[in-house]
Amino acid sequence: MTPRRILSFEEVDWNVKENVVLEMRNIYKSFPGVRALQGVDFTLRKGEIHALMGENGAGKSTLIKVLTGVYGKDEGEIHLDGCQGAAVIHSPQDAQNLGISTVYQEITLCPNLSVAENMFIGRTKGMGQSWKKVNADTDKILKSLDIPAKPTQQLESCSIAVQQMIAIARAVDMECKVLILDEPTSSLDEQEVEKLFGLMRNLREKGVGIIFVTHFLDQVYEVCDRITVMRDGQLVGEYAIKDLPRVQLVSKMLGKELDDMSDIKDEQQEYVKEAGVPPVLEAEGLVSDAGIKPFDFHIDKGEVNGFTGLLGSGRSECVRAIFGADRVTGGTVKMKGKPVKINKPLDAMKNGVAYLPEDRKMDGIVGDLSVRDNIILAQQVLRGFFRPFSKAEANKIADEYIKLLSIKTASADTPIKSLSGGNQQKVILARWLFTHPDYLILDEPTRGIDVGTKVDIQKLVLKLASEGMSVTFISSELDEMLRTCSRLVVMRDRQMVGELTQEDLNQNKVMSTIAGGDEQS
């Protein structure tokens, strides 16, 4: 019997029910105090690569975890090709038994085992077979998918890209109908990405439906057939790749229409820069081991600038390189015209640089310490732990900054973990202000806090700049960036792609630059 040919994407009639391999309908999922998914629909066809797009908090991960049985759904139905009625998925094993496989960003195979052992470990298919048979079966699978590996070689001897391919091959060989690739290219170079895309196209030709989760716009338009966009736990829409120009994709992810322009006026009383004064910080060809392309950057005294771009664009990695939080592997830095070496955060702190990190719970607060101890922490590091602040000094400092920033706390002795998110953020900000920095980096300082506190922090940033402090401000909220910054560096796919000032500081220009400069591309 001649096998049925899988139609190409252009040939498929998407309205024909038999082409659908997965349908998720009216999916709801709530956690205490948060509705993570609100009536989301998602459809995957046979033999298509379907991008699932959205910013942080959009609900992509929750939807994937519902599909794979990690989370139970509150409402809705999941239908799979070949199943009668709605599918019942209570665990990842249930999902796998139904032909749903996931390959995560972090490879979950065993590097000390051979390729063949990784292909068949934990599977009844390989039990009782001779190693000769297992190796032969593995070799057949590898060759069918054009994966450049040998069954007997140790997995850790393969490149990361090939390890990803082997993980995918294992998933496909387990009669996979739906393959979920969660950020598979984040640690790959351009050549490795091309190899992975070749495998994905190969699987598409074999009829596998692929859900591709990524933050790289260029990759979406290179390899995908359709796009589903989510925002704030809701479905924004599903689009054929040819019907959604990049700039429109960006606007849908951010929730800003192209003509949705606010009359934003910067109320900052600008610091008057003296002639001939060099930038506070100047970086040239800076690069770190976090995968960003080499970049140049400068900031003047009294300036508020920012890095903007979609999540994963490299905006946080740039400031982490400037502060030495990631290992710097190349480039030069000058502070006030003089060369300096910033290889670690302490070097940056000694040169008058302060950094409020993106993840305050992981990298910012020390939860069991008091508000007072959290405030004096950075200055104590600079001062040295053999010269501790007296209790009277520490109390005076804490009271001063609690009052200055209107931190709501029962007392300076209160553990910081007991405070609200906004007040925790103010404590970390107080910590860095107490070091009296020349240059303050704020990465997502207003994320997850109430509107009133956001306004307080924005006003404080403008006030500090008017007094001569240099500030880099990063926020996922474009309106907030436009309100506070006089210059924006635009990031895409881990490299700088533009710099906007003056009349170019508007939503349309920012989004078109993020998308690639061409509104029709």
Side-chain angles (χ1 to χ4, degrees):
M1 180 178 177
T2 304
R4 184 170 64 87
R5 183 175 69 88
I6 300 298
L7 300 178
S8 69
F9 182 81
E10 291 77 11
E11 294 176 292
V12 170
D13 178 1
W14 296 117
N15 293 318
V16 178
K17 198 74 171 179
E18 70 180 37
N19 291 315
V20 174
V21 68
L22 166 70
E23 281 189 294
M24 304 181 75
R25 290 289 172 258
N26 202 36
I27 304 297
Y28 282 84
K29 178 62 182 176
S30 295
F31 300 100
V34 178
R35 175 159 276 187
L37 296 175
Q38 302 179 54
V40 175
D41 295 340
F42 181 83
T43 302
L44 179 69
R45 284 83 172 175
K46 299 175 184 177
E48 79 163 346
I49 302 175
H50 195 133
L52 182 58
M53 303 291 289
E55 281 283 78
N56 189 35
K60 306 187 303 295
S61 295
T62 304
L63 187 69
I64 293 299
K65 288 178 179 177
V66 166
L67 175 59
T68 55
V70 176
Y71 294 153
K73 62 187 183 308
D74 298 335
E75 295 180 43
E77 292 187 340
I78 299 174
H79 293 267
L80 286 160
D81 179 50
C83 294
Q84 294 293 325
V88 178
I89 305 175
H90 293 310
S91 69
Q93 187 63 51
D94 287 344
Q96 187 170 293
N97 292 340
L98 290 168
I100 302 170
S101 294
T102 307
V103 176
Y104 295 99
Q105 174 181 345
E106 298 296 330
I107 298 169
T108 55
L109 301 180
C110 302
N112 60 321
L113 299 181
S114 71
V115 171
E117 287 171 321
N118 273 285
M119 285 289 293
F120 284 95
I121 189 171
R123 295 166 57 184
T124 56
K125 179 177 177 179
M127 298 297 290
Q129 296 187 26
S130 68
W131 281 114
K132 183 177 180 180
K133 169 71 170 164
V134 169
N135 287 336
D137 288 348
T138 300
D139 189 54
K140 184 178 179 181
I141 296 165
L142 296 174
K143 286 179 177 177
S144 72
L145 297 175
D146 294 323
I147 298 174
K150 296 180 179 179
T152 55
Q153 76 181 99
Q154 203 166 28
L155 184 72
E156 63 186 358
S157 69
C158 302
S159 70
I160 296 297
V162 172
Q163 291 184 41
Q164 287 276 20
M165 292 179 185
I166 291 166
I168 292 171
R170 172 183 162 86
V172 172
D173 190 52
M174 296 169 72
E175 300 181 351
C176 163
K177 298 176 183 177
V178 175
L179 177 63
I180 303 165
L181 301 180
D182 189 0
E183 297 287 355
T185 64
S186 60
S187 58
L188 306 184
D189 61 29
E190 292 179 9
Q191 290 74 29
E192 291 174 329
V193 169
E194 278 306 312
K195 291 179 183 177
L196 181 62
F197 283 177
L199 175 58
M200 291 168 65
R201 293 184 181 106
N202 191 339
L203 294 173
R204 175 171 59 188
E205 290 301 313
K206 295 177 184 294
V208 177
I210 300 174
I211 302 174
F212 183 39
V213 181
T214 183
H215 291 115
F216 297 120
L217 295 186
D218 290 347
Q219 294 179 6
V220 168
Y221 283 87
E222 181 176 348
V223 77
C224 293
D225 304 308
R226 297 180 74 80
I227 302 172
T228 286
V229 182
M230 295 182 64
R231 187 176 66 248
D232 298 331
Q234 301 182 57
L235 173 68
V236 176
E238 178 188 301
Y239 313 90
I241 200 83
K242 61 183 176 60
D243 295 333
L244 188 66
R246 299 184 191 199
V247 71
Q248 290 186 21
L249 170 59
V250 172
S251 71
K252 291 179 186 302
M253 289 172 66
L254 297 177
K256 304 292 181 184
E257 295 303 323
L258 296 180
D259 58 356
D260 180 21
M261 297 179 59
S262 303
D263 183 16
I264 300 171
K265 294 182 179 179
D266 191 349
E267 299 178 357
Q268 178 184 6
Q269 182 179 350
E270 291 190 8
Y271 178 83
V272 180
K273 181 184 174 184
E274 298 177 29
V277 175
V280 169
L281 182 139
E282 193 172 7
E284 184 174 342
L286 201 63
V287 64
S288 74
D289 61 2
I292 51 171
K293 306 287 194 306
F295 67 93
D296 300 337
F297 174 77
H298 76 277
I299 186 166
D300 293 321
K301 187 176 178 65
E303 179 186 11
V304 182
N305 68 17
F307 288 84
T308 189
L310 299 177
L311 188 71
S313 62
R315 60 196 189 198
S316 294
E317 287 79 2
C318 284
V319 293
R320 287 179 64 84
I322 291 168
F323 189 67
D326 292 331
R327 188 172 71 88
V328 175
T329 55
T332 59
V333 176
K334 293 180 180 178
M335 295 288 299
K336 300 179 182 178
K338 297 180 180 179
V340 296
K341 288 283 188 183
I342 298 181
N343 296 319
K344 55 185 182 296
L346 186 58
D347 296 335
M349 292 164 64
K350 288 179 177 177
N351 281 284
V353 183
Y355 169 55
L356 189 149
E358 179 181 16
D359 190 336
R360 64 172 172 262
K361 291 192 182 297
M362 181 67 69
D363 301 323
I365 68 169
V366 183
D368 291 326
L369 293 185
S370 67
V371 170
R372 176 183 57 250
D373 290 340
N374 270 275
I375 289 174
I376 66 172
L377 183 60
Q379 187 63 46
Q380 185 65 75
V381 170
L382 287 169
R383 180 171 168 147
F385 285 100
F386 291 109
R387 296 178 56 212
F389 289 99
S390 68
K391 188 169 183 179
E393 286 177 309
N395 280 330
K396 182 179 178 182
I397 294 161
D399 290 343
E400 177 185 343
Y401 281 95
I402 288 171
K403 182 178 180 181
L404 175 68
L405 298 179
S406 301
I407 299 170
K408 294 180 181 178
T409 177
S411 74
D413 289 314
T414 302
I416 191 174
K417 65 184 180 183
S418 302
L419 273 56
S420 68
N423 284 294
Q424 289 179 5
Q425 199 76 305
K426 287 184 177 182
V427 172
I428 303 170
L429 186 55
R431 174 194 300 167
W432 291 113
L433 292 179
F434 180 44
T435 67
H436 306 291
D438 296 314
Y439 175 34
L440 176 63
I441 301 169
L442 302 174
D443 192 355
E444 296 285 4
T446 64
R447 176 185 287 169
I449 61 180
D450 63 84
V451 175
T453 305
K454 285 187 178 187
V455 172
D456 289 344
I457 290 177
Q458 291 168 24
K459 287 181 177 179
L460 177 63
V461 166
L462 299 178
K463 180 176 181 293
L464 293 171
S466 70
E467 294 170 354
M469 187 180 293
S470 304
V471 183
T472 289
F473 189 92
I474 298 175
S475 172
S476 297
E477 297 184 26
L478 186 53
D479 286 349
E480 191 171 46
M481 297 286 284
L482 293 169
R483 277 195 296 272
T484 54
C485 300
S486 58
R487 179 164 58 95
L488 286 180
V489 174
V490 183
M491 303 291 299
R492 185 177 71 248
D493 297 345
R494 297 177 183 170
Q495 62 182 326
M496 291 184 174
V497 294
E499 185 173 286
L500 306 178
T501 58
Q502 298 176 356
E503 66 272 7
D504 287 334
L505 281 178
N506 60 69
Q507 292 177 359
N508 287 13
K509 188 66 176 178
V510 171
M511 288 191 290
S512 63
T513 305
I514 291 172
D518 182 356
E519 295 192 8
Q520 302 305 315
S521 64

